[in-house]
């Protein structure tokens, strides 16, 4: 098989890789994209195939089912229905249909922009070439620029290797039935998103977290409404607790909890959601002279590695492991290869937790701003005073704004509440554009919308709130 030469070789077809390929194609560059597929992979990577998209589909289905049950029992709107049932196999089929539609769309976009796709496992041979094991035999690809976008993998626990009843988030999204009892190890965003979803689907959920709080990456003020909701759903949370392994018969999780000793948690499935790690093995990284930083590939502000014309983007480069970060990095790298002057500015990357209620953060929390030595103004506006939240019958939560005290420059925005993920773009834009409290307060926000809480929080920080 003849060697392939190109201007750009991209290894990995996840959000970072395929966006880099599309943008490079738009800029007229000759691009080859290698995607291994298999194990839930394929174009779109973990995010599209077994992560962001399918998890949000399951979360939505779980919420619809849970609301239907509430209508059958309480009927707060006067809507009366018979007790609903759910065919989870059809739910999974529906989820798979969404994934198929989107992966097909990615393939069409790559084709439109003249990106050559090679399916198979890439093995880097040096900083300019790789060997791909395809269905039709080995293929060598050589390029002037190499973009590494191999993503991440679920982190396993030595005492709980994946297999059998022990599953990762990928397997949790394709179960053949709803488990009667689900144990979840890890109370970060993945564990909580899926734990809450399965609680709504009818599972008895127990969450095990080694630290002293759930969602340890978020400040306590934002987490509090989520904790209340979990209690209402009957989710049991064990903090300062470590998973010690399975019982001898494999039907229970053994947990050592500080102050309580060993506990046995009966379960039908055990979801290990203790985070993800950069995919550093399986594609010949050891043959490249790359500098690593805490088990991730080290990059500079241009996403350049320690090797000339070798770039790295996305989860491979460490935290924050977010699809939108990878996409933004992919654009930056493609434009640099095309000769543009670009750097990756990570000042405003929204983080979203699709729990119930949802959490959004961008920029600094009040405590982080104070620790940085800032004198600040901060205020929040509760959804209990927001008309749109009341009409959604979901008014728990708030929007919080943090700004400099001297010039009112917005330093950070946080929110917890119904559908606040959809506010993340306006939050990010405010920081990106260098907004001040007066800019947000002077912007007309449509009524009735959840976004009005952003407006009112900014006014409240100025001492000018109108509706509280």
């Amino acid at each position: 098989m003849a060697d392939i030469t190109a201007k750009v070789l991209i290894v990995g077809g996840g959000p970072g890789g395929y966006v880099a390929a599309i943008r490079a194609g738009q800029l007229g560059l000759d691009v080859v994209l290698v995607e291994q597929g298999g194990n839930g992979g394929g174009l779109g990577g973990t995010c599209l195939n077994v992560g962001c998209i399918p998890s949000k589909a399951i979360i939505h289905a779980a919420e619809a089912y849970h609301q239907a049950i509430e209508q059958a029992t309480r009927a707060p709107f006067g809507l009366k229905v018979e007790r609903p049932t759910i065919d989870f196999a059809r739910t999974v089929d529906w989820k798979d249909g969404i994934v198929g539609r989107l992966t097909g769309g990615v393939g069409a976009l790559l084709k439109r922009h003249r990106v050559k796709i090679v399916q198979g496992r890439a093995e880097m041979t040096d900083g300019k070439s790789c060997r791909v094991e395809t269905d039709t035999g080995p293929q060598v690809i050589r390029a002037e620029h190499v973009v590494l976008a191999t993503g991440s993998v679920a982190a396993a626990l030595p005492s709980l290797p994946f297999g059998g009843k022990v599953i990762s988030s990928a397997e949790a999204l394709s179960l053949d039935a709803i488990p009667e009892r689900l144990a979840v190890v890890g109370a970060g965003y993945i564990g909580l998103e899926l734990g809450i979803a399965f609680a709504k689907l009818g599972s008895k959920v127990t969450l095990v977290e080694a630290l002293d709080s759930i969602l340890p990456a978020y400040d306590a003020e934002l987490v509090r409404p989520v904790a209340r909701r979990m209690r209402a759903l009957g989710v049991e949370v064990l903090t300062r607790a470590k998973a010690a392994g399975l019982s001898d018969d494999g039907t229970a999780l053994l947990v050592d909890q500080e102050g309580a000793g060993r506990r046995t948690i009966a379960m039908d499935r055990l979801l290990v959601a203790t985070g993800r790690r950069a995919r550093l093995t399986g594609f010949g990284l050891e043959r490249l002279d790359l500098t690593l930083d805490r088990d991730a590939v080290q990059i500079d502000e241009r996403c350049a590695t320690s090797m000339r014309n070798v770039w790295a983007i996305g989860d491979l480069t460490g935290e924050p492991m977010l699809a939108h970060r990878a996409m933004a990095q992919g654009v930056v790298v493609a434009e640099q290869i095309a000769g543009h002057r670009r750097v990756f500015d990570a000042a405003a990357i929204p983080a979203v937790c699709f729990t119930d209620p949802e959490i959004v953060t961008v920029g600094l929390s009040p405590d982080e701003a104070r620790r940085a030595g800032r004198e600040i103004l901060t205020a929040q506006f509760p959804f209990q005073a927001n008309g749109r939240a009341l009409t959604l019958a979901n008014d728990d939560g708030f929007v919080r704004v943090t700004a400099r005290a001297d010039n009112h420059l917005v330093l950070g925005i946080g929110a917890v509440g119904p559908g606040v993920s959809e506010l993340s773009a306006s939050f990010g834009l405010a920081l990106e554009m260098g907004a001040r409290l007066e800019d947000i307060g002077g912007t007309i926000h449509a009524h009735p919308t959840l976004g009005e809480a952003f407006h009112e929080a900014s006014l409240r920080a100025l001492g000018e709130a109108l509706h509280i």
Side-chain angles (χ1 to χ4, degrees):
M1 191 178 294
D3 293 357
I4 297 174
T5 58
K7 177 77 171 181
V8 186
L9 164 63
I10 300 174
V11 182
Y18 83 71
V19 167
I22 289 171
R23 184 63 182 132
Q26 290 174 342
L27 294 167
L29 302 178
D30 182 22
V31 185
V32 176
L33 172 67
V34 180
E35 170 54 48
Q36 178 174 344
N39 296 320
L43 291 176
T46 294
C47 176
L48 201 158
N49 289 276
V50 292
C52 316
I53 299 302
S55 67
K56 303 316 167 282
I58 297 297
I59 288 168
H60 175 71
E63 174 63 16
Y65 175 63
H66 185 71
Q67 287 203 4
I69 287 186
E70 286 195 331
Q71 297 306 314
T73 55
R74 295 194 301 113
F77 311 142
L79 173 65
K80 297 182 179 179
V81 296
E82 296 297 327
R83 183 163 182 89
T85 60
I86 187 166
D87 182 343
F88 194 62
R90 288 189 63 183
T91 304
V92 171
D93 286 344
W94 169 73
K95 176 265 296 182
D96 289 343
I98 295 170
V99 171
R101 181 175 175 180
L102 290 174
T103 54
V106 170
L109 287 168
L110 291 167
K111 182 177 180 181
R112 181 190 306 173
H113 295 291
R114 300 172 299 281
V115 175
K116 181 176 179 58
I117 302 170
V118 177
Q119 293 279 355
R121 186 178 66 83
E123 183 81 15
M124 299 303 300
T125 53
D126 55 43
K128 298 291 185 183
S129 60
C130 75
R131 175 187 173 96
V132 183
E133 296 298 332
T134 72
D135 291 340
T136 56
Q139 174 72 70
V140 174
I141 304 170
R142 308 182 193 279
E144 182 181 342
H145 292 266
V146 173
V147 182
L148 302 174
T150 57
S152 61
V153 295
L157 293 175
S159 60
L160 293 169
F162 294 124
K165 291 186 177 182
V166 182
I167 60 175
S168 71
S169 57
E171 289 80 35
L173 296 170
S174 296
L175 292 174
D176 53 7
I178 299 166
E180 182 178 342
R181 300 164 302 180
L182 176 69
V184 181
V185 178
Y189 77 94
I190 296 175
L192 257 65
E193 285 182 1
L194 293 180
I196 290 173
F198 278 100
K200 290 179 177 179
L201 289 168
S203 297
K204 168 58 181 171
V205 177
T206 303
L207 276 159
V208 178
E209 170 57 49
L211 300 179
D212 58 6
S213 64
I214 62 172
L215 292 176
Y218 294 82
D219 66 81
E221 195 172 39
L222 294 172
V223 173
R224 204 167 291 123
V226 178
R228 283 197 296 268
R229 181 61 171 148
M230 290 169 63
R231 287 193 293 269
L233 290 169
V235 176
E236 183 180 12
V237 179
L238 306 178
T239 55
R240 299 178 185 175
K242 295 184 179 181
L246 297 179
S247 61
D248 291 339
D249 60 3
T251 62
L253 171 66
L254 304 178
V255 176
D256 292 326
Q257 187 175 22
E258 186 177 322
R262 175 154 291 188
R263 296 186 53 175
T264 301
I265 309 298
M267 57 83 191
D268 301 299
R269 294 282 186 170
L270 172 58
L271 168 61
V272 175
T274 51
R276 300 184 65 82
R277 56 179 176 80
R279 190 191 301 270
L280 296 173
T281 60
F283 62 98
L285 183 72
E286 64 278 2
R287 297 190 183 92
L288 306 183
D289 186 21
L290 300 180
T291 301
L292 300 184
D293 179 19
R294 290 178 295 180
D295 298 322
V297 173
Q298 186 179 85
I299 55 173
D300 64 14
E301 73 280 358
R302 300 179 302 121
C303 301
T305 71
S306 51
M307 292 184 70
R308 184 173 181 272
N309 290 347
V310 176
W311 314 80
I313 59 178
D315 290 3
L316 180 66
T317 63
E319 297 289 351
M321 292 187 178
L322 299 169
H324 41 287
R325 170 180 175 260
M327 292 178 179
Q329 289 177 322
V331 170
V332 166
V333 168
E335 293 183 353
Q336 287 181 91
I337 294 173
H340 299 194
R341 293 175 62 88
R342 289 294 310 275
V343 295
F344 177 66
D345 181 0
I349 305 178
V352 182
C353 189
F354 290 87
T355 46
D356 180 10
E358 295 175 350
I359 298 177
V360 173
T361 63
V362 59
L364 302 178
S365 70
D367 286 345
E368 288 170 336
R370 292 187 187 103
R371 285 196 295 269
R374 301 287 192 183
E375 293 289 332
I376 63 169
L377 297 175
T378 185
Q380 59 178 251
F381 187 84
F383 282 118
Q384 290 175 343
N386 177 269
R388 182 56 178 151
L390 292 170
T391 64
L392 293 171
N394 192 346
D395 60 2
D396 197 9
F398 55 87
V399 174
R400 183 187 67 201
V401 177
T402 302
R404 285 175 52 163
D406 56 353
N407 61 8
H408 301 171
L409 179 72
V410 176
L411 300 174
I413 308 158
V416 55
V420 294
S421 59
E422 298 303 326
L423 301 180
S424 60
S426 60
F427 295 169
L429 183 63
L431 264 70
E432 185 69 29
M433 301 299 291
R436 301 175 189 269
L437 293 172
E438 290 84 354
D439 296 321
I440 300 166
T443 299
I444 297 174
H445 287 68
H447 174 76
T449 64
L450 298 176
E452 288 178 281
F454 183 28
H455 181 238
E456 288 280 356
S458 300
L459 291 176
R460 194 177 189 188
L462 292 167
E464 302 171 4
L466 298 172
H467 290 92
I468 195 170

